[in-house]
Amino acid sequence: MNTPEALPPQLSESAYDRRRLRQWLTGGARAEGVSRRTLLRLLAVAGAAAGTSAAFGPPAAAATAPGIVKPLPDSWFTVRGTNAESRFASFAETGYHTPNERFFVRNHTSTPVLDADDWVLTVRGDGLTHDRSVEFTLDDLRRLPAVTRTAFVECAGNGRSFFTTQQGQTVSGTAWTLGAVGTARWRGVRLADVLRRAGLGRHAVDVMPRGLDADYVTADGANLGRVRRPLPLAKALDDVLLAYEMNGEPLPYDHGYPVRVLVPSWIGVSSVKWVGDIEVSAQPLYSPWNTDFYRLFGDAHPVEGSAPLTRQTVKSAWEVEWGAQVAAGTAHRLTGRSWSGAAGVVRVDVSTDGGGTWRPARLHDAPRRAGWVRWSADWLPRTPGSYTLLARATDGAGHTQPDTTVHNTQGYLFDAVVRHPVTVT
Ligand code: MTE
């Protein structure tokens, strides 16, 4: 009568296997001689057999988001619908690069668990010579020259909640604070190399990668198809990668395994995860992601919206808990990070008294295009009370964070100085 279903969970082989695989994933189990790829495949099968990723059983004090595979410990993430925001304060424990397990996840639907052995990239369209269709396997990509680039990925809506909490304005979309950003070392091949190998024609103007995740259906039931967004050819040939590694490891499932597009400095939606095909077109292309979304709409903008958004604006964030308690009469070293899509950050000014007085922060990294700069400031608060920390960055192209951001209905590109509350006790 001991069917697998009837066994208590601790005696079920499949539950044991899932637990063991999960331990391996979090570094708690050894697996010498077994390839990571094999273990990831087993993990995927175990997850599929159990129905959903949540059936792995979350680790202690971890939340789950529908459709995200990796554990989301409360100390690292805030779950927002199908997405997970990194807690910026917890970046104080990390180096320049954001570890894969702490990197924010923005999913329109859910993470597809793909098998790299079955994966093929199809490049097609009338922008290729002879309007042909060319396929690349992962091994084909690995045979091309590999390139490594450090770049942040940041959601265009990062900081959106401050339109409401700081400017009293209504906006739609996920109410991110400042943790929809992370910086990683990406390795892969140049999109330019792949396009040229596929036979790039002289009339090509746009390139549209499309993800292999499920169709995106809006809250009011419109099926917009799979996530896809055109890139002008000039950007596609410039610094865009088809990345297969993140911080020295195969891309994690949630970040696009086996291959994602990485568009340095541009809004996150350009960096299509789980890319399955790329259309190369001799005419400009459109998708909901460059028409209805990811333009600026609202009173201050044209009725048809701004031009499609490309580069990120300038931002700064403190690596300090929101509303932290800080002891009076003690010297504190406060840290943070600033970044910009236009150029490396060259200067950060901070205020610990709500903007009354300002001083330059000490920068710990050289300005880096598509990367961030870590900084610190020493503070000796003498009197208990409520304080507001401010940080204002300037990038090498001369952009400085403003006091307010011009409103747009979807709450994109919030770049104003954020008012960060702390209490001195
Ligand atoms: N690609 C696919 N296929 N599906 C998605 O939902 N989300 C985009 C982009 N690429 C998305 C995608 C958005 S809006 C962002 S901000 C980034 O992926 C987030 O990347 P991450 O989840 O690796 O942090």
Side-chain angles (χ1 to χ4, degrees):
M1 293 300 290
N2 265 351
T3 60
E5 291 76 23
L7 284 169
Q10 64 275 23
L11 295 181
S12 142
E13 275 184 30
S14 62
Y16 172 61
D17 205 24
R18 283 201 299 278
R19 206 165 50 242
R20 217 168 26 173
L21 285 161
R22 201 179 67 232
Q23 285 167 336
W24 166 76
L25 201 60
T26 54
R30 285 171 40 213
E32 283 96 1
V34 185
S35 80
R36 185 179 165 83
R37 180 186 282 197
T38 303
L39 284 161
L40 284 170
R41 186 172 312 128
L42 290 174
L43 190 68
V45 171
T52 67
S53 57
F56 294 138
T64 53
I68 295 182
V69 172
K70 69 183 176 185
L72 303 170
D74 282 343
S75 50
W76 294 351
F77 292 104
T78 306
V79 172
R80 303 193 187 281
T82 56
N83 315 298
E85 172 171 356
S86 301
R87 289 187 189 278
F88 210 99
S90 76
F91 286 171
E93 301 153 12
T94 69
Y96 189 87
H97 297 101
T98 312
N100 295 356
E101 59 276 15
R102 294 179 182 240
F103 211 95
F104 85 102
V105 181
R106 162 69 176 119
N107 278 354
H108 281 73
T109 58
S110 56
T111 295
V113 174
L114 303 178
D115 186 335
D117 292 337
D118 299 338
W119 179 85
V120 239
L121 172 69
T122 307
V123 183
R124 60 183 166 75
D126 62 6
L128 295 184
T129 46
H130 313 301
D131 194 0
R132 51 186 182 161
S133 168
V134 184
E135 294 196 338
F136 295 84
T137 63
L138 186 54
D139 284 340
D140 292 334
L141 295 190
R142 285 186 177 279
R143 277 192 286 271
L144 294 175
V147 176
T148 303
R149 256 190 234 307
T150 285
F152 63 74
V153 170
E154 184 188 19
C155 192
N158 195 25
R160 176 182 283 129
S161 65
F162 298 109
F163 277 104
T164 307
T165 57
Q166 206 162 284
Q167 302 190 173
Q169 295 161 334
T170 303
V171 287
S172 59
T174 304
W176 303 109
T177 56
L178 287 171
V181 62
T183 297
R185 209 169 59 250
W186 308 93
R187 185 162 187 266
V189 294
R190 286 176 214 279
L191 178 56
D193 287 348
V194 171
L195 296 178
R196 291 204 177 100
R197 235 151 246 262
L200 189 60
R202 283 194 300 119
H203 302 295
V205 294
D206 269 357
V207 169
M208 181 154 72
R210 185 166 61 150
L212 287 165
D213 40 339
D215 287 2
Y216 175 57
V217 180
T218 63
D220 42 15
N223 185 333
L224 304 184
R226 290 197 262 135
V227 172
R228 60 200 185 284
R229 189 173 201 256
L231 272 176
L233 187 68
K235 180 67 176 174
L237 295 181
D238 179 18
D239 56 356
V240 177
L241 294 189
L242 291 175
Y244 45 70
E245 276 180 27
M246 179 175 180
N247 293 325
E249 292 175 8
L251 286 183
Y253 287 123
D254 296 308
H255 299 289
Y257 182 83
V259 178
R260 81 177 298 165
V261 181
L262 190 268
V263 184
S265 308
W266 282 34
I267 57 171
V269 70
S270 328
S271 292
V272 170
K273 303 192 276 189
W274 315 292
V275 60
D277 58 272
I278 300 180
E279 180 177 353
V280 184
S281 170
Q283 286 86 43
L285 295 174
Y286 292 96
S287 86
W289 287 271
N290 74 341
T291 53
D292 297 338
F293 307 125
Y294 302 104
R295 292 177 183 240
L296 305 179
F297 293 96
D299 291 345
H301 306 287
V303 197
E304 71 283 9
S306 67
L309 301 181
T310 58
R311 285 188 312 209
Q312 286 288 359
T313 45
V314 200
K315 282 198 191 64
S316 300
W318 294 86
E319 295 169 341
V320 174
E321 295 292 347
W322 196 257
Q325 307 248 325
V326 176
T330 312
H332 300 275
R333 174 150 300 176
L334 304 178
T335 61
R337 300 178 191 229
S338 300
W339 62 98
S340 163
V345 165
V346 294
R347 182 184 174 99
V348 179
D349 293 296
V350 296
S351 169
T352 48
D353 60 2
T357 56
W358 292 85
R359 61 205 156 98
R362 194 176 315 114
L363 304 189
H364 298 286
D365 298 296
R368 187 170 195 164
R369 192 167 160 253
W372 51 23
V373 165
R374 292 169 291 176
W375 44 260
S376 66
D378 294 331
W379 186 33
L380 184 100
R382 295 191 188 280
T383 320
S386 298
Y387 289 78
T388 302
L389 308 179
L390 306 179
R392 185 193 304 277
T394 300
D395 70 23
H399 304 107
T400 296
Q401 290 183 256
D403 291 332
T404 55
T405 301
V406 175
H407 176 253
N408 68 91
T409 56
Q410 294 173 105
Y412 296 129
L413 301 185
F414 186 89
D415 61 348
V417 173
V418 168
R419 303 181 66 78
H420 192 122
V422 294
T423 304
V424 174
T425 55

